[in-house]
Amino acid sequence: ITREFGQFLLQEVRKRCGTNISITLWDERYTSKEAASRIQAEAIARKSRIPSASDLETELDADAACIILEDYYKELGEDGELIV
């Protein structure tokens, strides 16, 4: 399903932006867990209350997105799957 969506997205983007556009799929598994661990570790380091799961809702997605970008930049996109 993800690859199919990637193909669809690539076609639509190329219609609007030209054929020089590429899309890279990136594995995002475990990024939410890593983000939660980072948030909790930061709370411990600051000696503040460890956030509950409901407290994490808004911050978790943003931190997970940052982790995905960090991983992508660290690997220079080499672990991604290029959609062609």
Side-chain angles (χ1 to χ4, degrees):
I1 293 175
T2 301
R3 286 182 183 92
E4 289 175 17
F5 176 73
Q7 285 289 341
F8 171 77
L9 182 61
L10 180 62
Q11 291 170 6
E12 293 301 311
V13 169
R14 284 184 172 170
K15 284 180 193 174
R16 292 174 173 83
C17 302
T19 57
N20 282 344
I21 302 294
S22 63
I23 292 178
T24 302
L25 300 180
W26 196 261
D27 188 356
E28 64 168 331
R29 289 177 290 182
Y30 310 113
T31 55
S32 293
K33 288 183 181 186
E34 184 177 342
S37 293
R38 287 184 183 188
I39 293 167
Q40 291 171 347
E42 186 178 304
I44 291 169
R46 289 183 290 152
K47 297 182 181 180
S48 60
R49 182 179 70 82
I50 296 175
S52 67
S54 61
D55 292 338
L56 292 175
E57 280 182 32
T58 56
E59 194 174 352
L60 198 59
D61 286 341
D63 282 14
C66 287
I67 291 168
I68 292 167
L69 283 173
E70 287 170 10
D71 290 347
Y72 179 82
Y73 289 137
K74 183 172 52 179
E75 300 297 326
L76 300 174
E78 291 180 15
D79 285 342
E81 179 179 335
L82 188 63
I83 301 293
V84 289

